[in-house]
Amino acid sequence: MSLLSLEHVSVAYDNRLILEDFNLSLQKGQLLSLLGPSGCGKTTTLRLIAGFLNAEAGNFMFSGKDYTKVPVEKRNFGFVFQSYALFPHLSVFDNVAFGLRLRKLKEAEVKKRVNRMLETVSLGGFEKRLPGALSGGQRQRVAIARALVIEPDLLLFDEPLSNLDANLRVNMRVEIRRIQQELGITTVYVSHDQEECFSISDQVAVMNNGKIEQLDHPANIFKYPASEFVARFIGFGNFIAFDGRNDEGADIELSRGELKFQAAKRPGGEGNTGLLGAIRPDDLQLLGAGADMGTGTEGNALTGKVQVSTYLGRSYQYQVETELGVFTVNQEMEQPFIQGQQVTVYFPKEKLVLVQ
Amino acid sequence: MRMNKRVLLLLLPGLLFLAAFMLVPITLTIASTFVQDGKLTLEGYLYFFRDGYFNRILLTTLRVSVVTTLVCMVLGYPAAYYISRASARKKSLLLALSIFPLLTSPVVRSFSWMIILGKKGLINSFLVNTGLIAKPLDILYTPTAMMIGLVHLFLPLIIITLLGVMENLDHELVRAARSLGASPFAAFRKITFPLTVPGLIIGGILVFVGSLTAYTTPALLGGKERVVSTFLYQNAMTLNDWQAASVIAVIMIVITFVVVGLMNAWANRLNPKG
Amino acid sequence: MLSLYTLLVFIFLLGPLVIISITSFEPGTVLKFPPEGFSLKWYKNIFEVSAFMETFRTSIVISLLGNLLALLLGVPAAYALSRYRFHGRDTLNAVFLSPVLIPGIVLGFTLLRYLIVVYNLPIVAGLLIGHTVIMLPFIIRVIASSLENFDFAVEEAAQSLGATRVYTFFKVVLPNIRSGILAAILIAFLESFNNVDISVFMTGPGISTLPIQMLTYVQNYFDPTIAAISVILMVLTAALMFIIERLMGFAYFTKR
């Protein structure tokens, strides 16, 4: 049975429905990310779970109990804010102790737990500082410690790393994953950064327009996006709209007018439905015109002309114009193609994914 | 978001208080001016506008207010511009020196001009002692004295209002204009001035409305010269003619709102940022 | 050129206040500039004229009580106006700031006419209510401007840690806008303490405020007592202004 479930939930803001008949469930101990562009409803979902928002309809069940009407302060959920939301007038120690003192713990116990938690987030020795005297990363650690020290039944993160610089972001997400797994605490994590979500989550829900487009393990989403929206969002930059498909053989046979393509079936068989082919720029291959393509590559190729070439550091990026439109290809190579050069774009069948 | 119960509960005490002690008395006052002997009438107003004495007072008030506003603009704008360009230390000192008079009692500030403008005041004793004039000038208790007092009263207001606008001005714009070939004066005329005009108008509104309704300064420096506000006071407290005082009150409200409305609209139209 | 112009403007602004200070030390019975000597006798006179002491006390009491009332009404309103976005917010904001738009003399007169004469309230009550009305916009403006810099996520953080709304307001919001509230109190205090337009209608047997007493005195006597009081008031004003600057800087004053 799941620990948390949202059942047929609707949320409106300013007479506009943000979530409508929304459903979500999560197992104990898991870290679920809500991923999507701004305005997709991910933050609304998180704030609904936290209790900052009320649902117009539907239920929020937690641990077998109806939490729909339970006020924020009675839920015992830890929340980590994008702006950290540290109490500016309280020291690091008092910030972390805030929730414990509200729970009427003895001061000796408060001290013990706060100090232990500050050690956990590597902030021993910072007890007396005010939040204003801390760096962004340190503030974030205090915010996490403050949310964790109350031993919450659920931990909620709202874009916690978006105010940090790139290096720190990578370190902090490792830290968050480590602490979450160490304590085995069920977590919902909101972000618009796919790499961040994929790297720390057990499950990722990609959201769009108040709906979950796909909920799966990160690796499955990365390889097999279920819809065009998910594919675009996670970096499948190239699409071919096919007009026919045949699933009888070992591979899926696809056609677009006279052109024939093949796509490998997904192991396990499910998914890979629809007629829209998607492929990442990194997975396309460019060959000089007339180059030997080896065997087994009849079809799955288009001839074209290089329109633009840009240097990305590790690789070159090309815009190649073909009869099916312009494709973006990233390729590492010593001798780059030049503008106007005739090339062949090759679509490896294992990398060509079909989406709805 | 719709206003929810919590918001309403927080706002209600204040709103009820203002309704009971501001809105209701003012509304009743306005209503009372249209009723005489149980009949609906405009007689209260017609009486005033037919009365030469009142028209003279109204005219004096308007004249004093217009001149005060113009003088404040002319004195305030360059000073504010200078302060806005000054070094940080100088700026905060001059800002403090502008705010101090603003927070000082208007009685004190107007009284200081009695010492300066009086028959035996600073100016007259200087002029008489140096033999420039034989007899002391009558400055105190004239509209001129009122004007001087009002300029003194409201100049800080227009300075800090303009300062607020000038501080928000992006000086890169002036540099951009200079880089395109504008002389310092042309840059001022084409960039700085148009962008600060709305501030000048808003400051002007504050001064004009303030002068129009000021009581302390005309009461101290005006002597027997009446303006609308001292006339209201005289009718209410000395003559006990409440009907007349109410009519004057309504006239003051109307003038205030019309002036604020018109000048605001003007400032918005002139606002180059739309 | 511009600096000379500005210097002259400031001489015009501050000169009279310097002159009034110098003349307060006049030993004679008539205000003169320059004074004919140095004496503190007019300062002593303030304390000997009982009307000054009594009206001073009234002024202080009215300003402080009115301040308290305005805080009780204004803090919740300022909080609601800053914290929540709702339809009609701008209109309500304008309503709360409207007492500054109504000419003071008109407000004073209407309060006299209805509160005291029609509703039969005692003069002191009218005085208190009138001062509360004029302080309210200042309280709301200053506190709202200090709430502008407050991250309301902090409030949600406290609630997620188990704090109720009321607890959160007193333990988290209030401590963080403390200096704003103190500044609001001081600004409103000066506004009320210096007020003439309302108080001038609210005088009665044994009841008057200091500015009104000064006004009456000036119209009858021309000795340096008022100059001496002026100096004391200016010192008080400067001290309060210094504290206000410490609390929230001067940026508030240049905002329109």
Side-chain angles (χ1 to χ4, degrees), chain A residues 14 47 52 72-73 77 81 83 85-89 98-99 102-103 146, chain C residues 87 151 153-154 156-164 167 171-172 175-176:
Chain A
D14 235 346
R47 294 174 62 79
F52 298 140
V72 190
E73 66 266 22
F77 295 169
F81 294 82
S83 64
L86 299 181
F87 306 127
H89 63 300
F98 190 89
L102 278 165
R103 282 162 182 71
R146 185 178 67 177
Chain C
H87 294 307
D151 176 11
V154 167
E156 292 180 334
Q159 281 164 16
S160 76
L161 294 168
T164 60
Y167 183 91
K171 295 284 179 177
V172 175
N176 281 300

Side-chain angles (χ1 to χ4, degrees), chain B residues 94-171:
Chain B
L94 292 176
L95 185 58
L97 291 180
S98 310
I99 291 170
F100 175 68
L102 205 66
L103 297 176
T104 301
S105 165
V107 178
V108 172
R109 298 172 60 199
S110 296
F111 176 65
S112 67
W113 285 100
M114 294 178 78
I115 306 176
I116 297 169
L117 302 177
K119 273 231 158 53
K120 293 184 179 126
L122 185 60
I123 291 181
N124 274 327
S125 36
F126 174 76
L127 292 177
V128 172
N129 287 345
T130 51
L132 281 171
I133 49 171
K135 241 172 52 190
L137 297 170
D138 284 319
I139 314 175
L140 192 59
Y141 307 133
T142 64
T144 309
M146 281 194 244
M147 255 144 39
I148 294 173
L150 288 171
V151 168
H152 187 241
L153 199 62
F154 291 117
L155 187 54
L157 194 62
I158 201 167
I159 289 180
I160 62 166
T161 303
L162 281 166
L163 210 50
V165 177
M166 288 171 179
E167 290 285 270
N168 283 333
L169 190 78
D170 184 359
H171 283 290

Side-chain angles (χ1 to χ4, degrees), chain C:
Chain C
M1 259 302 281
L2 200 55
S3 60
L4 184 68
Y5 191 88
T6 307
L7 182 70
L8 291 176
V9 165
F10 276 92
I11 288 176
F12 169 73
L13 266 185
L14 301 171
L17 302 179
V18 174
I19 289 168
I20 207 174
S21 309
I22 296 172
T23 51
S24 71
F25 301 109
E26 166 70 46
T29 54
V30 178
L31 267 169
K32 268 190 219 77
F33 188 88
E36 286 171 348
F38 180 87
S39 150
L40 289 175
K41 73 189 228 199
W42 298 107
Y43 285 87
K44 236 176 80 206
N45 190 43
I46 302 171
F47 297 94
E48 281 156 7
V49 179
S50 66
F52 285 128
M53 296 318 285
E54 277 161 25
T55 55
F56 177 73
R57 219 171 292 127
T58 310
S59 276
I60 294 274
V61 169
I62 292 293
S63 295
L64 292 181
L65 277 182
N67 225 316
L68 188 68
L69 259 176
L71 280 172
L72 289 175
L73 300 167
V75 172
Y79 174 77
L81 290 170
S82 312
R83 171 74 173 85
Y84 300 102
R85 297 284 169 271
F86 49 88
H87 294 307
R89 178 171 160 271
D90 290 345
T91 313
L92 283 172
N93 206 31
V95 168
F96 276 109
L97 301 184
S98 64
V100 274
L101 208 64
I102 307 284
I105 202 88
V106 170
L107 196 59
F109 167 65
T110 58
L111 285 177
L112 167 72
R113 182 164 172 189
Y114 287 96
L115 249 48
I116 294 176
V117 177
V118 177
Y119 301 155
N120 228 340
L121 287 178
I123 288 174
V124 187
L127 200 56
L128 182 61
I129 287 169
H131 279 240
T132 306
V133 171
I134 55 153
M135 275 190 262
L136 199 52
F138 291 92
I139 295 280
I140 288 181
R141 254 182 72 168
V142 179
I143 292 177
S145 92
S146 80
L147 277 170
E148 251 170 44
N149 305 320
F150 183 73
D151 176 11
F152 284 105
V154 167
E155 223 185 21
E156 292 180 334
Q159 281 164 16
S160 76
L161 294 168
T164 60
R165 278 179 185 286
V166 176
Y167 183 91
T168 305
F169 182 78
F170 284 100
K171 295 284 179 177
V172 175
V173 180
L174 223 47
N176 281 300
I177 56 167
R178 216 187 52 198
S179 54
I181 290 182
L182 287 175
I185 291 174
L186 296 182
I187 290 173
F189 175 85
L190 283 171
E191 204 55 43
S192 155
F193 189 82
N194 290 336
N195 179 275
V196 169
D197 297 5
I198 307 274
S199 308
V200 79
F201 291 100
M202 309 280 177
T203 56
I207 299 167
S208 189
T209 62
L210 183 63
I212 304 305
Q213 173 61 28
M214 287 165 71
L215 215 56
T216 318
Y217 193 88
V218 167
Q219 280 158 353
N220 297 315
Y221 309 92
F222 205 64
D223 66 40
T225 314
I226 298 298
I229 297 181
S230 297
V231 171
I232 293 175
L233 290 184
M234 284 192 280
V235 171
L236 179 80
T237 305
L240 293 188
M241 186 179 90
F242 179 76
I243 299 172
I244 292 167
E245 201 275 335
R246 288 284 101 147
L247 288 169
M248 59 184 270
F250 283 146
Y252 160 79
F253 292 97
T254 58
K255 258 193 309 196
R256 279 289 166 278

Side-chain angles (χ1 to χ4, degrees), chain A residues 56 144 313 323 333:
Chain A
E56 309 269 303
I144 293 171
E323 56 182 305
M333 58 202 315

